[in-house]
Structure formats: C-alpha cells, structure tokens
Amino acid sequence: KNEVEQSPQNLTAQEGEFITINCSYSVGISALHWLQQHPGGGIVSLFMLSSGKKKHGRLIATINIQEKHSSLHITASHPRDSAVYICAANNNDMRFGAGTRLTVKP
Amino acid sequence: DTAVSQTPKYLVTQMGNDKSIKCEQNLGHDTMYWYKQDSKKFLKIMFSYNNKELIINETVPNRFSPKSPDKAHLNLHINSLELGDSAVYFCASSQSWTGYNEQFFGPGTRLTVL
C-alpha cells in the first residue's frame, strides 16, 4: 500500500461545480504539499501546509493532522483547472500520491 | 527568468548509451532534488543534495550518478541506459532540506530509451 493515497483517481466535472480531492497519508510529516501538473507536463506547487487551512483564489486546502488527511477544494471550477493534482507528504523527503486527473467540461 | 531550468527537454537515445541531464536554479536555494515520473505518472524521489552534499539517495541503481558542482547546479548522469529508464525526470529546488519548504520544479526532461 502506498504511503500517500489519493481519491478519486479520475474526476470529471461541469464548469462551475465545487470539487474536492482527498489525500490520506500514513507517514509523519513536516508539511503536506499539493501540486498541479498541467497537460504540458510542468509541475507547480499550489499549497504547502502543516495545519489548518489555506486559501488562494478559488483553491482551498485543508489538513487534519490527527486523522492524517488533507483535502483540496476548487470552487466555481473552470476548464483551465483541468490538470493532474498531486498530494505529497514531506518529512525531509517527498512521498507522492498517484495523482487525481481532473477534467472540467464547459 | 526561469527559476529552475533543465536541459535537454527531450532526450532520445539507444540502450547502452551514457547520457547527462543538467539542472540549474537561480533562486539561491540550498537544496536540489531529482525526481523520476514513470509512465503511470507516479513521481518518486531519486536524490537530494543540500549545499552540494548528498542527503537522500533512494534505492536507485548506481548507473545513476548525480553531481553537484555548486549549490545552483545538480546534474544527473546515467550510464548504460536501459529501456526501463524511459521516464520524465524532474529537477526541483527548495530553500533548505527540512520538510517545511516549498519546492520549485523544473520543466522536466523526457528520456526515451530505444
């Protein structure tokens, strides 16, 4: 079993829908990262968090340290949000989830 | 200005050859990494260097040898390439090696071994 599990693997949504991607991890962490990988292949860091909640535009990330669980939410989704979203648990080295492929249809 | 750059972007080569991928960061970061993304898009850490010193070396075949001439550069040399080495290799950097540091990724190098 992978140390970092994401769900769902694939997600298709209509433009405007609220989206949630979940991440559970079994290792100790200094930080939990959410990354976005666009169809072109580039990887961008969206959030890094060790407690509570962070918000950036339409994206919100939350973490529950006791339950070893994090969620990434996208409000008012848009086709340009279509990408693979990757969760990574970091305790001096990164352990990655398998990614969630999101497709937002107009 | 590109923060983390890698060259080449694409690399196609024959089995058995030796090749290198270069990585440079202009962020002034102390720590650099190499990651491998396989055909199933799963990312896995290979190496981590902090101030030119190796701090993480996952179970990677010793055909892979990282070299850090200075803290702004981390190159990856691969000897005797095998079909299974085909993947996308990402370089990244962070301010320091402790876990609570944002990582900045290069654009990736797609290696195809024929």
Side-chain angles (χ1 to χ4, degrees), chain B residues 51-110:
Chain B
N51 268 322
K52 304 191 298 174
E53 287 191 25
L54 181 67
I55 54 170
I56 293 174
N57 181 352
E58 290 293 304
T59 47
V60 176
N62 53 19
R63 298 182 295 103
F64 290 79
S65 51
K67 284 188 173 49
S68 183
D70 55 62
K71 72 174 192 177
H73 295 85
L74 180 61
N75 304 322
L76 184 65
H77 189 76
I78 316 170
N79 289 327
S80 304
L81 277 155
E82 299 178 357
L83 293 176
D85 298 332
S86 295
V88 181
Y89 293 84
F90 286 95
C91 176
S93 73
S94 65
Q95 185 64 57
S96 74
W97 69 277
T98 59
Y100 198 75
N101 274 283
E102 185 179 2
Q103 294 200 11
F104 295 80
F105 288 80
T109 295
R110 182 176 295 276

Side-chain angles (χ1 to χ4, degrees), chain B residues 6 34 52:
Chain B
Q6 291 179 231
W34 277 111
K52 304 191 298 174

